[in-house]
Amino acid sequence: MSFTQQFLAEAGEIIAKLDIAAIDRTVKALADTRARGGRLFILGVGGSASNAAHAVNDFRKIAGIETYSPTDNVSELTARTNDEGWETVFSEWLKGSRLNSKDAVLVFSVGGGDLERNVSPNLVRAVQHAKAVGATVCGIVGRDGGYTAKVADACVIVPTVNAAHVTPHAEAFQAVVWHLFVTHPALKAAATKWETTAAADAATKKAA
């Protein structure tokens, strides 16, 4: 088997092993957040930060949820990192955003955070603050889910099928799962461009 065949086979295995019940619980938690007028804050580091930026757009535009990510404002992010330290950069940002019990935090992470190993302590501190104020905590995380999975109200863990490919699969499947979220009938509030264009083209051909 070539590397390409192996990598794609692993992706298929991950899809087969995803916890459907966990996905549905997370969809419900996000739908409940929207129903009560809450905001969604998406947190991620590295590749997960890029995913967070993309997901902010989708949750706002497609799901109709007021959504933000701290890594979209590089000036504030670097100022807080420089002046206050990396560990509290997200928790302090959430405090400044007046995170409250109506809101939700969605964590994108390969490991979910681990204070003992000093891995993504900023995510851990942010989740701790979210729990302290009664906000809903959700996650799409890899490995064993780390701190996020331990305390989250709803969390999807991307299964590890090859320890050598944890990071690429975890970050890739963040995108698969959040696109499932915003496409889910319980969350989707607006049609997407290419689907409506295709439907219009089909209607025009049928009329002709």
Side-chain angles (χ1 to χ4, degrees):
M1 182 181 291
S2 71
F3 176 83
T4 300
Q5 289 173 314
Q6 176 186 333
F7 195 90
L8 294 176
E10 290 168 4
E13 188 177 351
I14 289 169
I15 288 175
K17 291 183 175 181
L18 282 170
D19 187 336
I20 294 173
I23 291 172
D24 288 342
R25 282 194 299 272
T26 310
V27 168
K28 184 179 185 306
L30 296 170
D32 289 346
T33 298
R34 181 178 63 188
R36 62 177 176 262
R39 300 163 299 167
L40 176 62
F41 298 95
I42 306 179
L43 310 179
V45 177
S48 298
S50 295
N51 281 342
H54 182 162
V56 165
N57 167 70
D58 288 353
F59 278 100
R60 292 180 72 93
K61 187 174 185 294
I62 301 171
I65 303 175
E66 184 180 350
T67 308
Y68 304 94
S69 176
T71 46
D72 284 347
N73 186 338
V74 69
S75 295
E76 182 178 0
L77 180 72
T78 54
R80 290 190 179 280
T81 303
N82 187 61
D83 298 345
E84 303 161 14
W86 183 238
E87 184 166 323
T88 61
V89 66
F90 290 158
S91 59
E92 291 302 313
W93 181 86
L94 289 172
K95 291 175 185 177
S97 299
R98 306 296 189 269
L99 182 75
N100 61 70
S101 59
K102 291 172 61 177
D103 301 326
V105 169
L106 175 59
V107 174
F108 289 171
S109 176
V110 174
D114 187 328
L115 281 184
E116 291 182 4
R117 297 180 180 178
N118 196 34
V119 178
S120 300
N122 50 1
L123 294 178
V124 176
R125 296 304 186 198
V127 170
Q128 288 175 336
H129 175 66
K131 298 297 288 186
V133 301
T136 298
V137 174
C138 301
I140 307 173
V141 296
R143 293 173 55 85
D144 62 358
Y147 183 78
T148 298
K150 289 179 182 178
V151 303
D153 298 284
C155 187
V156 179
I157 297 178
V158 178
T160 298
V161 299
N162 182 343
H165 298 152
V166 169
T167 297
H169 285 320
E171 293 184 345
F173 275 88
Q174 288 168 10
V176 172
V177 174
W178 102 63
H179 279 103
L180 185 160
F181 288 168
V182 299
T183 307
H184 195 288
L187 279 175
K188 187 174 182 180
T192 43
K193 179 65 175 180
W194 285 110
E195 287 72 14
T196 54
T197 300
D201 289 347
T204 299
K205 289 179 181 179
K206 185 176 181 180

